[in-house]
Amino acid sequence: MEYPEFQGKTAIATGAASGIALLFLQKMAEYGANVVLCDVNQEAAEAEAEKIRANGGSAIAAKVDVRKYSEIEAAVNLAMEKFGRVDYLLNSAGGNSQRIFQQSGGFAKASPESIEWGVDVNLKGAVLFTRAVLPQMMEQKYGVIINMGSIDGVTGAAGLDYTASKAGMIGLSQGTANLGADYGVRSVCVSPGPVLTRPAMARMKTLLGRAAEVIEVVNLILYLCSDKAAFITGTNYLIDGGRSLAASRFW
């Protein structure tokens, strides 16, 4: 087994009914971890949890709107009741607010409601979920929190609520690393460029000429959670195929 240290541990992810978070938990379950799928779409999360159980894994699902601390806290309490510990958290819920709200015209014409949604889901939810798991991680002297950033949080982009939130995920990881250092708790930000979670991502240019496969991002996250990365904390990992370096070539 590539990561025997995951055996018997517990991993939680948000936005876990699809994409990077789902594959992360599927792989964690394969390595013997208990997994908790948190998603605003409870039906989809439960369906994916059932698939993991059918394949021999240990999985439960919880409806979580990351804007609501009561739902976050309930999911963490459920994990503790079922599995007795929380070891890994992937804060992955999020999205581009203008795409979600089907708005055009850029940030200058974005509705206040979409901007609030963007900041709340992409950043505030991660802060709140970190607050919910930290006491247990600190008590058990072990834990890893991975925050999903974006290349836009490093290079800047026109969707200001998204860019600001993803830059904030880097700061959240740094602050959590400082807070958790004396308690065996690490935190890292992972900032992808285009990833093939949506067909449109394939059109985004990178130095390597393609978007990332989801498993490529998940492999990095698994490594950062593992004991192989025990000396890594408070950093931001770009996994963007060189897109952040490509402005002079493509634009």
Side-chain angles (χ1 to χ4, degrees):
M1 181 178 286
E2 189 175 359
Y3 295 115
E5 63 266 45
F6 295 158
Q7 184 76 36
K9 299 287 180 52
T10 301
I12 300 178
T14 63
S18 63
I20 291 169
L22 174 57
L23 185 55
F24 165 71
L25 292 183
Q26 288 171 337
K27 299 300 290 185
M28 273 285 186
E30 288 179 19
Y31 290 125
N34 309 302
V35 300
V36 184
L37 290 77
C38 297
D39 200 282
V40 69
N41 186 334
Q42 185 174 16
E43 183 177 339
E46 180 53 50
E48 295 298 341
E50 176 56 35
K51 292 177 186 177
I52 292 172
R53 293 192 293 267
N55 287 324
S58 173
I60 57 175
K63 179 188 178 299
V64 178
D65 181 337
V66 296
R67 297 172 295 177
K68 300 177 180 178
Y69 189 76
S70 60
E71 294 187 11
I72 293 171
E73 189 175 41
V76 175
N77 289 341
L78 178 64
M80 291 299 299
E81 291 168 9
K82 294 287 187 179
F83 305 127
R85 57 186 298 126
V86 174
D87 301 283
Y88 311 105
L89 169 64
L90 174 61
N91 280 313
S92 186
N96 185 295
S97 60
Q98 289 204 287
R99 178 173 58 82
I100 299 297
F101 281 75
Q102 299 182 325
Q103 296 177 349
S104 60
F107 180 81
K109 294 185 178 180
S111 68
E113 292 78 14
S114 71
I115 294 170
E116 289 177 3
W117 183 95
V119 175
D120 286 353
V121 175
N122 287 303
L123 179 58
K124 187 177 82 172
V127 176
L128 292 176
F129 224 119
T130 297
R131 164 61 181 86
V133 301
L134 262 179
Q136 172 58 29
M137 289 183 173
M138 293 167 76
E139 182 178 343
Q140 69 194 19
K141 302 289 186 179
Y142 182 87
V144 182
I145 298 173
I146 305 292
N147 295 308
M148 189 60 63
S150 167
I151 185 175
D152 288 350
V154 177
T155 62
L160 300 190
D161 57 297
Y162 186 78
T163 292
S165 296
K166 292 306 185 180
M169 294 291 258
I170 299 174
L172 174 61
S173 303
Q174 293 170 333
T176 305
N178 268 306
L179 181 61
D182 293 337
Y183 301 91
V185 178
R186 298 187 293 111
S187 184
V188 181
C189 188
V190 172
S191 295
V195 184
L196 293 173
T197 51
R198 293 185 294 112
M201 293 289 192
R203 298 195 296 269
M204 295 178 67
K205 295 179 179 179
T206 70
L207 286 183
L208 297 183
R210 64 176 179 86
E213 300 289 342
V214 176
I215 188 59
E216 293 179 295
V217 179
V218 169
N219 281 339
L220 174 60
I221 296 170
L222 291 168
Y223 170 77
L224 291 171
C225 286
S226 77
D227 292 347
K228 297 178 178 66
F231 200 58
I232 298 174
T233 194
T235 53
N236 178 47
Y237 276 75
L238 267 174
I239 177 168
D240 69 343
R243 182 176 170 84
S244 59
L245 305 175
S248 62
R249 292 185 61 176
F250 298 137
W251 296 284

